[in-house]
Structure formats: C-alpha cells, structure tokens
Amino acid sequence: MTIPDIGLRAEPGSFRDPANRVFHRDGDVLRGLDEQAARDYRALAGTEFFRALLAAGKVCGSEPVEPVPGTPWTVVLRHERIPFVSHPYEWSFGMLRDAALLHLEILRTALTHGFTLKDGSAYNVQWRGVAPVFIDVGSFEPACEGEPWAGYRQFCQTLLYPLLLQAHLGVDFQPWLRSRVDGIEADQLRPLFKGVRRLLPGVPTHVHLHGAMQRRHATATTTDVRDQLRAAGYSRDLALATVRGIERLVGRLDRLPPESHWADYQRTCGYSAEDRAGKERFVEAALATGPRPRLVLDLGANDGRYALVAARYADQVVAVEEDPAVADRLYRRLRAERERRILPLVMDLADPSPGGGWRGVERASFTARATADAVLALAVVHHLAIGRNVPLPEVVDALVGLTRPGGRLVVEFVHPRDPMARRLLANKPVGLFPDYRPEVFERLLGARCRIARRLDLPSGTRTLYLGTVGG
C-alpha cells in the first residue's frame, strides 16, 4: 500500500497486514483501516469488553479521527504514543512471560465475546514502564465458528518457545529472538527436548505435536486445514479451552534470576558510603536543574539505584543492563513496587540492538530509538574502553550521540588506579591502554560537549562530569 506524500511517515514495522497500516503525522501515531477492517473495528468499539480493556490500560488508547484525504483508508485511528518502543529480545524473562500472559488474557476475553486476534506476535505488546500494553488494535476481528486461532504459530515462535527455552533449559532466549524476526521454529527447538526433556510441561503438545502437524500440513492451504478442523468438530469452546490451557502453562513457567557477578555490584564495586552519597547528589542535581526530561537513559543500570533517582525528575527512564538476570531482578522489583516510569531492558552496550527484519528497518536499532534528553553513563566507560577494547574517543562519541542537542550527559570516569579498573587491566596486555587517563577523557568530553560541572568522589579514583550537548 503506497502512502501519498502528504506529511505522512509510514511505520516501517507495520506492513504485514494489508488491511491496516500504522503511520506518523505531526507527532501523532495513526492507524489506517481498509473497509473490512473498519467494519471489524466498529463492531469491536461497540462492545463492553473492549471498552473495559481500554479503561484498564491493557490495550493502547485508540480513538477515531478525521479520515486522511488522498489515502485509501475508510477509518483512521489515533493511538496513544508509547513512551519508548522496545523489542522482545531486549526484555527479561519476567517481561516476556508477562507480555505472553497479557496477550492470552486479551485473546481469552475476546473469544468469550465473539472476537479473536489475527496475530500472536510478541511485537504486538509494548510497555508503559513495567506495565505491558497490547498495541495491535487492528488484530481484532469477529471469530468464526470452527476456525483455530490464526496467531497460534506466531505466539509459539515469539513468546512460548523462548519461555520454554529459558524456563526448562536455563538458556537465555534473547540471542535467539534477536537472530530471527519471526522467532524460534518448532524444528529448531525439538532437538533440544529429547529423552526425558520431551516430557517437560508444554513440550509434548506445543513443540513436538505442533512441529509434527506443521510438517504434515506443509503443503496444505489454510482453507484445507480449517475445513479439516471443522469436520473434526473443532469449535470456539475448544479454542477457548486451548487458550486457557496455554495461559495456565505460561503462568507456571518461571526462571528465577540466578546469582550473578553483577547482582551485588553496589556492595562489591569498591564504592564507599561517601562515594555513593556524593554520586547520588550529583545525579539528582544534574536532573533537577533545567527542563524536565521526557526521556532519560540509564546505561549500565545494574540494580536501578540511579534509574529510581532519575524517575523522580523525568517522565520516562529506560534502564539498560547487560546481564539478563540482573535486569530481571530489577523488573520484578519495579513491578512489585508498581513503578510505572522505568522500563528495564537487556542489552550489551558494546553490541546494542541493530536494525532488523525486512530491509533492516522493520525493527529499528537501539540508537535510532534512543535519543534522550538526559543520559546517565555511570560506571560504564571503563567496561567499554578496557573490558571491550572500544577506543576512548568512540566511547565518548557514542554517549554524546545518544543525547539530543541541548540534553544532559552525566558520565563517570573510573581512574586506572581504581580497584575495578585495575581488575579489568589485569586481564589485558601491559601498555594496551596508554590513553586511558582522566586528563585524556576530560579533553575528549570537553571537545564534544560543554562540561558544566565535575566532581571528584571522596575515594579519589572516580570523577563525575555533567556535560551539555551542543544544539
């Protein structure tokens, strides 16, 4: 579907369903619906269950607006803007499970009221802080008796299989999802669940049987499969029972975050109580001064100590942590505390999420999504420069590049004599980092932004900087 040049920008991740398309105009997020999709939406909008989902915040806010002249859409909806768009391979285990449970709850509710969902993709869920929200309003359609859930395979590949992989085998799912936009195939998972593992909860039905059915019907059309199911007596009640069974399965799946080297970083990193207090005051002052940030990035968030500080002064904080176990602990804590302004994400800053999917833009890269009003880079520089051999000028460029013009950058430099830096240097050849010195870092930072303030922490081995990025 071609969008005319009338100030509209198509959303690159919205093209797989020809009946509706998401696009942007003047800061608004709009969805165009063709004639059939418009009829389905009008029927949906008149139901009590859909209004209840909207009121509870489980489905993103949606309202009809004036049609856009020159476009083929019968109805145009305006959606609420999600604070920060993330991808499933950036979520922790607990986040993926809660996204799956929300998807199943909405499907179960829809089936009960005569509707279904066309899709089952994890990408149909986004987050307001740690609260999942279903965003694909165009996925709802009236249910037809005797037809299976069309999104079952998508759900397995992008939600259920990653959960089974980590819950049963302890294998982090993030690299698997990142490598394939359509998720994990049943045939990829089957070899991992042999012997007694094939009897683990959910595996016999949703991995082995599902995989066998896919192979059996590889040449059959969708219509053929539907006809066979109807002839076998498949009904909406059976579909509803299946969804409830998957819901119970997902609810029981868990993988408590294991002990991690970084789980107790605040105690083991060498900070004194005076250092921590001084650092917190510096961060608080940096964010409290000037316009309220709409988005703060906390890079290397660990237990979320400074993300929580930032949340007092910002509309939204994205807390990026490389260790999936640490990120999951943070997510569970924030969920328990009902903190709605912090979104924890799993990501290696030395290998951030690239663009992916069709033409490399269907799923936007992290750097394309993450320009922030303020960036916190606390205890990060030495891990990138020494731990990952990233040249110091490139580290500074990357941090400045994530900060919008006029925004604030709070960065910590850990001196070579600091215990943490010495530990990293001990694993490297002597003399490999001759430029890793505070005066070099300060010169590089000052060349790329205006240094408004600096503070040497009481330990004498760490320096904090507040920089303002030029407009």
Side-chain angles (χ1 to χ4, degrees):
M1 183 181 291
T2 301
I3 295 180
D5 186 14
I6 51 175
L8 304 181
R9 179 174 62 85
E11 169 55 51
S14 171
F15 64 88
R16 294 180 181 268
D17 183 353
N20 69 103
R21 183 75 185 265
V22 174
F23 57 99
H24 304 266
R25 183 183 64 182
D26 298 331
D28 284 338
V29 180
L30 305 177
R31 182 186 299 271
L33 306 175
D34 71 8
E35 188 174 351
Q36 180 58 57
R39 284 197 295 269
D40 292 345
Y41 173 75
R42 291 189 184 107
L44 175 72
T47 63
E48 287 294 334
F49 91 88
F50 183 68
R51 287 195 287 268
L53 290 173
L54 287 172
K58 294 178 179 181
V59 173
C60 70
S62 307
E63 60 178 358
V65 295
E66 289 296 318
V68 179
T71 67
W73 299 305
T74 303
V75 167
V76 174
L77 305 178
R78 179 169 57 214
H79 294 311
E80 67 170 289
R81 179 171 287 278
I82 298 300
F84 187 86
V85 173
S86 60
H87 303 321
Y89 45 84
E90 298 166 347
W91 304 344
S92 72
F93 179 89
M95 294 175 74
L96 192 73
R97 185 185 61 179
D98 287 349
L101 288 172
L102 175 68
H103 207 303
L104 291 166
E105 178 190 352
I106 289 172
L107 175 60
R108 170 174 47 79
T109 305
L111 285 170
T112 303
H113 293 86
F115 282 79
T116 187
L117 297 175
K118 297 183 215 175
D119 307 311
S121 174
Y123 293 94
N124 289 344
V125 175
Q126 285 296 325
W127 299 85
R128 302 186 196 97
V130 293
V133 54
F134 187 83
I135 63 169
D136 191 8
V137 173
S139 182
F140 287 92
E141 64 179 1
C144 295
E145 187 64 38
E147 290 194 1
W149 175 30
Y152 171 66
R153 180 175 179 176
Q154 271 189 331
F155 182 87
C156 287
Q157 292 182 181
T158 63
L159 287 159
L160 182 58
Y161 290 169
L163 292 171
L164 292 176
L165 186 69
Q166 188 155 350
H168 291 330
L169 303 182
V171 176
D172 290 330
F173 64 81
Q174 291 87 359
W176 292 63
L177 282 185
R178 174 170 155 168
S179 67
R180 288 177 59 91
V181 71
D182 292 327
I184 306 170
E185 298 276 357
D187 284 348
Q188 290 178 295
L189 211 57
R190 277 190 315 112
L192 303 179
F193 287 99
K194 292 184 176 179
V196 294
R197 287 179 175 175
R198 67 181 295 123
L199 301 178
L200 289 168
V203 173
T205 300
H206 301 292
V207 177
H208 289 289
L209 181 59
H210 184 207
M213 293 296 291
Q214 284 182 315
R215 291 189 298 277
R216 177 181 174 185
H217 296 290
T219 60
T221 66
T222 301
T223 301
D224 291 338
V225 174
R226 288 174 175 172
D227 289 344
Q228 290 174 23
L229 286 170
R230 285 196 190 98
Y234 192 82
S235 66
R236 193 186 311 168
D237 287 341
L238 283 174
L240 189 56
T242 299
V243 171
R244 285 174 173 148
I246 301 173
E247 200 170 6
R248 288 192 296 271
L249 167 65
V250 172
R252 290 195 300 266
L253 293 176
D254 202 1
R255 186 76 181 185
L256 293 176
E259 290 301 319
S260 166
H261 172 69
W262 302 109
D264 200 16
Y265 183 74
Q266 292 295 338
R267 185 179 63 82
T268 62
C269 66
Y271 284 113
S272 66
E274 293 79 10
D275 279 354
R276 277 193 286 270
K279 186 172 173 178
E280 190 165 323
R281 286 193 299 269
F282 188 93
V283 171
E284 193 160 9
L287 296 175
T289 304
R292 179 181 177 87
R294 285 183 296 178
L295 175 65
V296 173
L297 295 180
D298 182 10
L299 305 178
N302 197 257
D303 65 0
R305 181 186 186 97
Y306 300 102
L308 287 163
V309 173
R312 301 176 202 155
Y313 302 97
D315 295 338
Q316 180 78 9
V317 180
V318 175
V320 179
E321 170 54 43
E322 178 181 356
D323 189 317
V326 175
D328 202 41
R329 287 181 187 274
L330 176 58
Y331 169 71
R332 293 174 192 241
R333 173 189 170 193
L334 295 172
R335 184 185 60 183
E337 295 174 357
R338 301 186 181 219
E339 172 55 69
R340 294 299 179 92
R341 286 190 296 273
I342 301 175
L343 172 66
L345 295 181
V346 178
M347 195 179 309
D348 179 357
L349 293 171
D351 182 22
S353 299
W358 174 243
R359 302 180 73 179
V361 297
E362 184 180 357
R363 306 302 171 200
S365 70
F366 177 71
T367 54
R369 290 173 278 138
T371 304
D373 303 295
V375 173
L376 307 182
L378 307 170
V380 165
V381 170
H382 60 301
H383 287 292
L384 293 173
I386 302 175
R388 304 299 288 275
N389 289 45
V390 180
L392 202 54
E394 299 239 4
V395 174
V396 176
D397 283 346
L399 298 178
V400 171
L402 291 172
T403 313
R404 70 161 179 80
R408 286 158 273 180
L409 171 60
V410 181
V411 60
E412 177 179 13
F413 185 78
V414 176
H415 297 211
R417 66 181 185 277
D418 183 269
M420 287 300 295
R422 287 165 58 190
R423 188 182 306 173
L424 291 171
L425 287 166
N427 296 317
K428 302 290 182 176
V430 175
L432 185 61
F433 303 101
D435 294 331
Y436 186 81
R437 303 193 309 275
E439 62 271 19
V440 173
F441 177 78
E442 187 165 325
R443 185 175 70 249
L444 292 168
L445 184 65
R448 290 158 174 78
C449 65
R450 182 179 67 84
I451 298 177
R453 187 182 170 201
R454 71 187 297 279
L455 173 69
D456 292 319
L457 292 178
S459 65
T461 63
R462 297 183 179 226
T463 304
L464 297 172
Y465 296 90
L466 168 59
T468 302
V469 175

